[in-house]
Amino acid sequence: MKGATPDLFDLQQKPQQREDVDDGCVVLRGFVDDSGAVVAAIDGVVAAAPLRKMSTPSGTMSVAMTNCGALGWTADRSGYRYAPTDPTTTTPWPPLPAALSTLATTAAQAAGYPGFLPDTCLINEYLPGASMGLHQDKNERDRSAPIVSVSLGLPAVFLWGGAQRTAPTKKLRLEHGDVVVFGGPSRLCFHGVQ
């Protein structure tokens, strides 16, 4: 994100639209209204905890990632988990910036999940050729909380599946400023990035 020009993104603001994808899954089109503050918050997190490609039981991820907040999602050859410290530096993850917390809370409320207060944020960087296979977000302690996913930068194709990995997937083109929120009956649906 460093060196990104927020004004370039803000030039293409579009009106907000709500798109119901599934029972409990919503895309909020054009929801991010201050990408400059959000990008600055992300740049601060990345400066404190640099992006890295994590190892997993099946290989190395093509997506670079980092975290902020009380816990961070980590992976290595032994599996996946949330941890209070960065495994690279053994220091606590950077605090969750107010701009990211406020964005997640307001997006969750707009999608029908009032009272959501995030305690962690996973930041993924998808460079050309990077993808995220279909997976479930099931390492969280509280599965009653929704997942809030914010897209910034270039367009991407978000894959939305069902309760089983083999369920048919919908392809959702996400633009800069779009936010996907899913919880309730959709909380454990498989999803990914093409």
Side-chain angles (χ1 to χ4, degrees):
M1 288 287 187
K2 201 163 203 113
T5 307
D7 292 339
L8 174 66
F9 295 135
D10 292 336
L11 287 175
Q12 299 181 359
Q13 284 294 321
K14 54 187 181 258
Q16 295 179 10
Q17 298 176 5
R18 177 188 169 113
E19 179 182 329
D20 293 311
V21 176
D22 206 344
D23 188 13
C25 178
V26 174
V27 178
L28 303 170
R29 302 278 182 195
F31 190 82
V32 178
D33 63 356
D34 186 2
S35 62
V38 174
V39 169
I42 292 169
D43 283 346
V45 170
V46 170
L51 293 159
R52 77 292 304 264
K53 293 182 179 181
M54 295 189 189
S55 296
T56 70
S58 59
T60 301
M61 299 180 74
S62 65
V63 175
M65 57 182 52
T66 190
N67 298 274
C68 58
L71 297 171
W73 185 88
T74 63
D76 57 28
R77 298 288 182 207
S78 65
Y80 313 95
R81 65 199 159 279
Y82 279 92
T85 58
D86 181 337
T88 303
T89 64
T90 67
T91 59
W93 294 104
L96 179 62
L100 301 182
S101 180
T102 299
L103 174 57
T105 298
T106 57
Q109 182 167 343
Y113 298 97
F116 172 64
L117 295 173
D119 59 2
T120 191
C121 176
L122 171 60
I123 298 168
N124 293 335
E125 179 185 55
Y126 293 88
L127 295 176
S131 63
M132 179 81 65
L134 288 175
H135 65 281
Q136 296 172 301
D137 290 335
K138 59 183 181 180
N139 297 115
E140 295 78 15
R141 291 179 300 207
D142 182 2
R143 292 189 190 154
S144 68
I147 301 296
V148 178
S149 178
V150 179
S151 292
L152 298 173
L154 297 174
V157 176
F158 187 77
L159 302 173
W160 181 255
Q164 304 297 320
R165 186 184 301 273
T166 56
T169 57
K170 297 176 187 176
K171 293 183 178 183
L172 306 170
R173 182 178 169 88
L174 299 180
E175 303 280 346
H176 173 77
D178 291 346
V179 179
V180 179
V181 182
F182 58 97
S186 291
R187 178 59 179 75
L188 289 177
C189 283
F190 280 86
H191 57 282
V193 176
Q194 188 170 358

